[in-house]
Amino acid sequence: MPMHSHPLLSSYSMARREQEDYLLSTEIVNRGIEDSGIYAGSPSFSVRVRRGLPNFLTSVNLKYVRLGYGYLLSHGFYLLTAPLIILIFTAQLGKLTYRDFSPVFHLTDALFLIAFLALILYIYLDLSPRSTYLLDFACYRPPNHLKISKHEFIELARKSGNFNDAAIQFKQRVLKNSGIGDQTYMPKSVFRLGYSPNLKDGREEAAMVFFGAIDDLLAATQIRPKDIKILVVNCGVLNTTPSLSSMIINHYKLRHNINSFNLGGMGCAAGIIAIDLAKDLLNAYPASYALVVSTEVVSNTWYGGNDADMLIPNCFFRMGAAAVLLSSFRLDRWRAKYELKQLVRTHKGMDNRSFKCIHLKEDAEGKQGLSVSKDVIEIGGHALKANITTLGPLVLPVSEQLHFFTNLIFKKKKKPYIPDYKLAFEHVCILATSKKVLDEIQNNLELTEKYMEASRKTLERFGNTSSSSVWYELAYLEANTRVKGGDRVWQIAFGSGFKCNSVVWKALRNVGRPKRSPWFELEDSQ
């Protein structure tokens, strides 16, 4: 029985030497029956060796640990000065008596002390960064006529005549193991004969998902469009003139002096980047509202050729959008759902393999599409490891950090102790890319099925909606009344560049079942 060698086998010995940094996965592929040569009539197999997610238990890069503590200490001024000021206030107030406030005894001294304390309090509140509150968010659910099953997807692709038999078979294999269900949404216009991305279809899809999500958000929060001072829109592939943010401003007649930003080409991680930008703008413009809108326009990511590495996004990307309303009003704490606690961004673009692993290109026939490297899981794993190592000092309990450092300094084993991130969060929302990626992350972070449920259910029900995916996952938790006051929610997103971003929210109250959610079956969804 012949064994045809795979090109990756030549680097097998090298990969063995790197097992401290990489996980190798093997796959035996049945290539059918040989139809010619001396082995005619015999079954033929090949062995593929792939790099998977790096084993987080075998290496810890201390520079990312130091970076995390650097973030913590950069905000240490406020943590250290607050108790000191409170102590001084208490000591001084303890010396005062009724006579100090009497119009007869030491009135000038008492007034001076009160004014001094008020000045210190004002300076402290003015210098300290304002909290960023998440009032509410909404995720768009397309109408039912855009639902597409995996079987219908393959049949429409076959009937379109845009793909050869090998491409159709490749899509079938990918969809079979994708974790995607049969009720996701797609613009079926992409299956037209000879279809190529165009501005008309892109703008129409963007308008549908944008306005649907924003309408639901404004209805839920009762915020007037003219009260929104900051607008941040992110969409990876579709970038038009006027911009997508201008489309929203025109539709809702937002204020003429609005601070608007349009983020493009930043992939699935752009949703958290948009939150980071909005947070900084809210600090610059106190007592303001910021609207963040995240999407990916599927009709513009569609690829109509036959290159395997460019067919993968076709199989996973689905329609969707999220609109998020943030506030820097201090009084909004009493009506907001969440408070932003930490946000850590990691960018691996300085490495050429990371930079090129996901990129927009044209194939030999000039057809445009997103190319996904076979090394994307390995590269994404390294970005994820760097990100969570930086995030750890900001979120982990002191006991876990002491355990980690004690083991690191006095270690007798080769494998360092990796902190238990389940102690830092009650809920985890991982970008719903594919079943394989979710499985790898679950194994490396040792997460239970309860932590993975929102991500897996979102992938099954809505597919990969790119930068809005983590919001569909949070919507799932809310629809099932899982979020209680004080719970910490960790959203993780990664995308081209290569980037991995984390944001941590703290629930300010028990979040009840929302009136409207993409997870509810609605009578008007037709």
Side-chain angles (χ1 to χ4, degrees), residues 14-315:
M14 182 184 298
R16 287 286 297 175
R17 292 194 300 270
E18 298 174 349
Q19 280 194 4
E20 288 188 354
D21 295 318
Y22 304 118
L23 282 179
L24 297 181
S25 62
T26 59
E27 178 185 3
I28 299 177
V29 180
N30 185 349
R31 294 187 176 276
I33 305 298
E34 285 289 327
D35 55 4
S36 62
I38 60 173
Y39 298 111
S42 300
S44 173
F45 299 89
S46 65
V47 179
R48 292 178 181 170
V49 182
R50 290 194 178 97
R51 289 174 179 172
L53 221 61
N55 191 336
F56 296 171
L57 298 177
T58 61
S59 64
V60 174
N61 195 326
L62 288 182
K63 72 177 181 181
Y64 298 118
V65 178
R66 290 196 298 269
L67 184 59
Y69 280 105
Y71 290 157
L72 183 64
L73 293 177
S74 66
H75 295 86
F77 169 78
Y78 307 108
L79 299 175
L80 295 176
T81 56
L84 181 61
I85 291 176
I86 292 173
L87 182 63
I88 294 173
F89 282 5
T90 305
Q92 292 298 321
L93 290 175
K95 296 178 182 179
L96 297 177
T97 64
Y98 174 77
R99 295 170 63 88
D100 294 318
F101 295 92
S102 169
V104 178
F105 299 101
H106 310 295
L107 176 61
T108 303
D109 292 343
L111 291 175
F112 176 79
L113 180 59
I114 292 173
F116 177 72
L117 296 178
L119 177 62
I120 291 178
L121 181 61
Y122 172 79
I123 293 174
Y124 176 76
L125 292 176
D126 186 63
L127 290 178
S128 62
R130 288 174 174 261
S131 293
T132 299
Y133 300 110
L134 194 163
L135 296 188
D136 211 337
F137 68 96
C139 298
Y140 178 67
R141 192 173 90 172
N144 286 338
H145 71 265
L146 295 179
K147 277 186 181 180
I148 188 167
S149 67
K150 289 179 286 189
H151 175 74
E152 185 182 6
F153 180 99
I154 295 299
E155 289 303 309
L156 288 175
R158 180 180 286 114
K159 292 177 181 178
S160 71
N162 297 326
F163 309 99
N164 60 29
D165 291 341
I168 296 295
Q169 292 173 8
F170 177 80
K171 288 187 175 188
Q172 284 180 313
R173 292 196 301 271
V174 171
L175 285 173
K176 180 179 179 181
N177 302 311
S178 64
I180 293 177
D182 289 324
Q183 297 191 59
T184 59
Y185 302 90
M186 280 193 66
K188 297 180 181 178
S189 60
V190 299
F191 295 104
R192 295 195 304 259
L193 178 63
Y195 177 84
S196 62
N198 60 83
L199 285 176
K200 180 178 180 295
D201 289 346
R203 285 192 175 114
E204 288 178 354
E205 182 183 339
M208 176 191 294
V209 298
F210 279 167
F211 303 154
I214 296 172
D215 286 348
D216 287 349
L217 178 64
L218 294 178
T221 59
Q222 297 299 307
I223 296 293
R224 298 176 301 177
K226 69 177 184 179
D227 292 332
I228 297 171
K229 192 170 185 178
I230 298 162
L231 172 65
V232 183
V233 178
N234 71 268
C235 180
V237 177
L238 176 63
N239 288 285
T240 70
T241 301
S243 66
L244 296 176
S245 58
S246 294
M247 178 192 298
I248 293 173
I249 292 170
N250 176 262
H251 182 81
Y252 290 97
K253 309 305 176 187
L254 302 182
R255 56 199 299 168
H256 70 277
N257 62 340
I258 191 168
N259 295 278
S260 67
F261 298 84
N262 201 90
L263 306 181
M266 306 195 78
C268 301
I272 294 179
I273 296 172
I275 294 293
D276 191 23
L277 175 58
K279 171 185 70 93
D280 291 341
L281 290 167
L282 287 171
N283 281 330
Y285 299 94
S288 301
Y289 292 116
L291 174 62
V292 176
V293 185
S294 299
T295 193
E296 188 61 75
V297 176
V298 177
S299 57
N300 269 69
T301 64
W302 186 257
Y303 170 63
N306 296 299
D307 286 6
D309 61 330
M310 300 172 70
L311 288 170
I312 293 175
N314 285 8
C315 299

